[in-house]
Amino acid sequence: MEASHPANSTIVALLKEYADLMEKLGENVHGVNGTRKANVAIMALEYEITSGKALAAAKTKVEGVGASTASKIDEILTTGTFAKLEEMRARAAAL
């Protein structure tokens, strides 16, 4: 599946990779499912995401996007990746 708005493609791809790595590494199933649920909601957005925090805020809340996912999105928007994903990549590479 792809993002409805092309500008969100990187966010969608990185969150998918994160959920897949979490599953592969045997992380908490609730975290995996929560990340996937948030990603489905993000894929459906027809506008460009400019703030993860805004997606978790009451007035502009996107179902499934909480503070943790919002923080990851803000990190992606700033750096192009996020620390937790890089940690998962390193752990997976060490297997």
Side-chain angles (χ1 to χ4, degrees), residues 1-92:
M1 295 180 82
E2 293 184 18
S4 292
H5 193 288
N8 300 333
S9 295
T10 298
I11 295 168
V12 168
L14 293 179
L15 289 176
K16 180 188 180 314
E17 180 184 359
Y18 181 63
D20 290 347
L21 286 171
M22 287 175 62
E23 184 175 50
K24 178 181 178 180
L25 295 170
E27 294 293 312
N28 183 311
V29 69
H30 297 293
V32 174
N33 291 338
T35 300
R36 289 194 171 129
K37 179 181 177 182
N39 211 21
V40 167
I42 291 165
M43 281 188 260
L45 296 178
E46 295 183 359
Y47 58 86
E48 180 178 358
I49 297 170
T50 58
S51 168
K53 188 175 180 179
L55 299 180
K59 276 191 169 181
T60 54
K61 174 82 172 133
V62 172
E63 189 64 33
V65 178
S68 178
T69 302
S71 175
K72 290 173 180 75
I73 291 169
D74 283 334
E75 200 173 341
I76 292 167
L77 292 171
T78 302
T79 68
T81 190
F82 58 99
K84 289 282 192 183
L85 173 60
E86 295 304 321
E87 290 172 22
M88 290 289 174
R89 285 174 173 166
R91 285 179 52 201

